[in-house]
Structure formats: structure tokens, C-alpha cells
Amino acid sequence: MEAFVKHTGLVYPLNRTNIDTDQIIPKQFLKRIERQGFGKFLFYNWRYDDDGNLRDDFSLNYPEYEGASILIAGENFGCGSSREHAPWAIQDYGFRVVIAPSFADIFYSNCFKNGILPVPLSGEEVQQIIEHAEKETYHLIVDLKSQKVYDENGWSASFEVSEYHKNMLLNGWDEISVTLNYEDAISAFEASRD
Amino acid sequence: MNQPKTIIEKIWDNHVVHQEEGKPDLLYVDLHLVHEVTSPQAFEGLRMNDRKVRRPDLTFATMDHNVPTIHRNVIKDAISKKQMEKLEENCEEFGVSLADIHHPDQGIVHIIGPELGLTQPGKTIVCGDSHTSTHGAFGALAFGIGTSEVEHVLSTQTLWQSPPQTLQVKVNGKLGTGVTAKDLILAIISKFGVRFGTGYVMEYTGEAIRDLSMEERMTICNMSIEGGARAGLISPDEKTVQFVEGRRHAPKGEDFEQAKQEWLALATDEGATYDSTVEIDADEIEPQVSWGTNPSQCVPVSAKVPDPDEVEDDSDSVRRALEYMGLEPNQPIESIELQHVFIGSCTNSRLADLRKAASIVEGRTVHEGIRAMVVPGSFAVKQQAEEEGLDKVFTEAGFEWRSAGCSMCLGMNDDIVPPGEHCASTSNRNFEGRQGNGARTHLVSPEMAAVAAIEGHFVDVRKYDQLVKG
């Protein structure tokens, strides 16, 4: 997995709450058996019209958000289905960070397996960023080591992340390789129950 | 004396393989259920890293999301077909048992787990599917995982998990006649919202929960995730034990007697405390209908669609939802015109659900302009229903009678609701586009769906009972 240490990027604000994984990646794209190539289907039903053309009234399609790599949205981001295709689509589109006041549990843990940093900030901080990014081109710097999000004008906010998730991302570790170091403990546990 | 514990803590403590400061616990998984949609990339990961499935004997696969429900051999969609073939190849290569599309054990993964006796109290159960919470009805700790975690469990039979916060959802009193488990869980989510359970494992307690059958408890636990909780469970009792007894994978003879004592001892101890508790009165609950685009957006059938100008918070979401649903503020729920009725899904496709719906449908005719279908949750449910003649009851009324699968709950196969059309659905999610691009879903109980099919719009099933009897 690609490590995540520090990231500077353009912010794309999507001011909606309870964005479910069905919206992030609709079901018709879950039939693929690969991990790659989901980015073009991100927010498919919002981004494209019935004929498959990009809609000019959905903000992600605005030219000013081209190349955005920090997605910010309302509370309970990623609720619903457990589909990891959602973070795959977000990552493949080019986002490395998702900021929201709260995340659904399964989506949150799926992010860490895919080199995406989910950043929980307060509702007030999220609103500040959204308003700023809706008004003008806005870049943020997200530093995992110091657990801070800041801009070039002195605005900053801190966020929580567990030591475990933090180390996993900072080092880009493959979790299975880590766990296989505990194989003796797993075998002993199994033996104790037989 | 030992500190009183909740069932959640007891199951957790029984499954910790490794514990270390600054890390989540390494938790053992007793049962791993697999389906075609969220597993191909996981098996591919094993292959690329030359890894094996550690415990094929604790892993069980089926096909449900993509399967056609009319002609089993006609899979029109080439990509769906490929995904199903991939699961066959993967199960063959890694030695995992598979109930494929023609197998008599096939069905929706959350229906067949309990049916086969794989689901048992005290187990940790995972699946790459958020409705894994269903199995919590048995007093199992069951939750949905992503595909990377599927790969992790295949390879190690464990997951790194932080101990959850515990949330008691206490349901006082008794449900009224004609008010179902589905109405109860919708009312709970409507009252407390779509994220009250985030970060928690819920335990449902109280008189109304004890009164529920196992099928009804599965309906409740199934939708825990719609309230934000990855898992929701109910302490085992005699009903739980009776349901499991005699099933194919259940312990037998003396082993069963011993298991029974262990299962009953898992129930939350008197005096155990939860991190949080919410309460609801069952006797105040009416049959529910969702009007919006998340499961908390529902009201009693006698009520009206809300007015975004009058709601206290998040009026933008209400406005957006009404626009998507094509509904007017203050429109009576009973006035919504329906074009589709779907009875099925891991929430409500068990035999008990079909029996209840059939008892309403019997001798009546599906309303003109309504396309109604019943999709049994498993091959076994279908077979039993046919033995009881339920298929005839439905087809004579004008319902389509299908084979088992997830079907119109998420429309990954051909069963979809066209844009702009309204569907009374016994499934669990009314998200935008869930049943098809532009589809308008209304979540209801099987009884309410059956009445809606006959009448062409929503009618309070309690009034309907009276009309019928009178």
C-alpha cells in the first residue's frame, strides 16, 4: 500500500450529509473483479446524465475543481454498504484525503487499507473549509505525523487518529504481513479451543 | 464475584488472540461468509502473495447479489456471469465450500447462515456485506467488512479490532397488533437517526424484543447498520436455542446440551452497564413507510410527508430527498401512487415473512398498474413456501414468483425499478438509485407491501384487517 505522510492538495467541497456508498459508487460497477479503474465511476449518478455525458451542474465537474485531491463533505460520510469499491473509486479518481465531521465505521476502516486518510474535524471547521473552497481555489496541507490540517494563511485544525492506523499509513504496511507475524498466537488460540 | 458483563464484552473476551497496548485487539473469526461481489479482489490478493485460506472449514460461500431470479441458466450480463464464475474458480482453488446458483443451499448469505445452523450464539461472524449484522439475532457478534478485511480473514482467520462501545437499545412495552419488527426497527432509526449507532455495537433489549420470533429478531438486527452500528445483537434465550437445534451445522446430542448451557450463559448479566442507552416505547409505534432517501426518513402510514420549511435541522437534505422522490411537502403517505412492490431481501424474505404477506394477498388481485414480485431469500425458503402453496397464492393474485437472490433490493441483476417509479419494498435501503437509477423506494413491512400491492397505494394494514374481517 502507498504510504501517507503529508499531502498538499486542492480541496473539493461536497456540502451534503449522509453520503452513502451507493452514491460514491453505484451497484452496476461492483461487478468488476479488479481493484483498479473505479475512479471514472465515482459519484456516477450525480456526475453523469442519462446518456453518460458529464453533467455541468454537478460541482465535481467544474473546471476549478479539476485535480482536486482533498474531498470534504458533511457528516456520516460513507454510510451504508460495506463495498470497498467506494474508497477504491475515491482513490482512483485522485483523492488522498477525505474530511468530514463523522464517518461510517466500515468506510472509515476501509480507507486505511487503501492509502486514504479520513480526517474527522468538527462541524464548524468543516463548514469553514467548505465555504472557503466553494468561494475560491483553496489548498490544504494535511500532515499525518503532527495530525494537523492547515492552509498557507495560518488557519489550522487538529484531528484524531489511532496510533495503529497512523503507523499503518505512515509506513504503507500490508496489514496481512504484519498479522502473519502473530501466526503462533493464532495457532495457540485455535489449539486452546479444540 | 465477577463483574457483570454484557454479551458484547463476553463474546469479545472469548475471541481475543492477542492484546497489546496501543493496538487494537487481534480478534478471532469463527465464521466467514463469502459472496461473489466483495471477494474476487481478496482471492486475487491471496494468489498474488502466494497465500492460502487458513481455515476453509470456517469459510462458506454462496452467490446472491448478481444471480438471475427468473431463468437460472440465463445470465444476460457478461460481467455478472464472469464474477460468478470467478467465485467458483476461487472456491475450487482455495478449497472453500460453495453453494452455487444451482445448489439446494443457495440463497442470500444472511438467510442461509441461520438456515444451515452455521450461525450460532457466541460466534464472531464476518462477511463482506454490511447486513452481516443480521446474525446478531442469535447473540453472535456479526459485522460487515471491506474486501481488504475479507482477504485478511481468509489469510489469518483474524481481524484487528478495537473494542467497541456498547449501546443498549431498550424497547419497552409491546408492539400493537399489525405492527411488525420492520416497523419497530424503522421507528428506532427514524427516532434516533442514521448515525446514532456509529462506533457502537448495539444490544436490543426489553419486553418487545423478547416477544419477537427469531425471524423477526433477524429483521431487527439486519438493519442495525442503517442506524450506523456495524453490529447489533440480542441475548440468546430458549427461542434462540430452539431455532438452532437440529440444523445441519448445529452441535448434536451431548455437544448440543453443553452448547446450549454456554449459549444461555452468554446473555447480558443482571447489573451490567452499557456505554450508552436509548429507549423507545413499542406501544406507540405504528406501521411505518419511508418517504425519503435514507432509512431514518420515515413516518407512520397515517402521517404526511414533511415540509422542509418546518423541519428543525438539515432542511436541505429533506428538500433534496423530496425532489428525488417526486413528493410534495405535506403530501399524505396514503396518496403516493405505486408502480412496484418488492417482497424480498435479507431483511424480509424468510418463510415467516412470505406467510404473512400471503395471508393478506390470498383471494385478492394485484392492483392494475402494479408490478409485484416475491423473491424468496433462499432455495430452501422457496421450496418450503411451494410445499405450503404460497407460490400459488401469490401467482394467482398476480405476483411474480422468483428464485432466491438479493434481486431488487439493489438491482445488480435484471430486477430493477425504472427511473421515477415508486416501489413499496421490504428491503433495507431507500438510497438514491438503490433499486435502479432514479428509482423511488419506500421501505415497509411485508404486510404493508402486500396491502399496497392490492390497493395500489399505502393503506394501514391494521385498518385493512378490519375491512377484511368486517
Side-chain angles (χ1 to χ4, degrees), chain B residues 60-62 99 105-118 377-378:
Chain B
F60 188 88
T62 191
D105 292 340
Q106 183 269 343
I108 304 175
V109 66
H110 309 308
I111 304 287
I112 64 174
E115 221 167 60
L116 298 171
L118 289 164
S378 69

Side-chain angles (χ1 to χ4, degrees), chain B residues 55-131:
Chain B
R55 295 293 301 265
D57 56 324
L58 302 182
T59 313
F60 188 88
T62 191
M63 299 173 178
D64 53 8
H65 282 64
N66 267 324
V67 300
T69 57
I70 306 180
H71 304 294
R72 283 304 210 199
N73 292 319
V74 186
I75 305 167
K76 289 184 201 151
D77 185 336
I79 315 175
S80 287
K81 191 162 185 272
K82 195 172 166 193
Q83 199 169 51
M84 286 185 259
E85 287 167 354
K86 201 75 202 167
L87 184 63
E88 276 176 40
E89 281 171 38
N90 287 333
C91 288
E92 173 79 33
E93 182 180 338
F94 291 94
V96 172
S97 300
L98 168 69
D100 71 10
I101 193 167
H102 301 293
H103 197 283
D105 292 340
Q106 183 269 343
I108 304 175
V109 66
H110 309 308
I111 304 287
I112 64 174
E115 221 167 60
L116 298 171
L118 289 164
T119 303
Q120 292 166 18
K123 278 192 179 182
T124 47
I125 302 175
V126 300
C127 174
D129 191 287
S130 61
H131 292 113

Side-chain angles (χ1 to χ4, degrees), chain A residues 27 31 84 182 190 193, chain B residues 23 28 30 77 148 434:
Chain A
K27 73 301 196 89
K31 299 174 185 175
E84 197 164 318
Y182 295 84
E190 286 171 332
R193 305 209 310 169
Chain B
K23 271 191 179 172
Y28 198 77
D30 293 323
D77 185 336
S148 296
R434 174 80 179 176

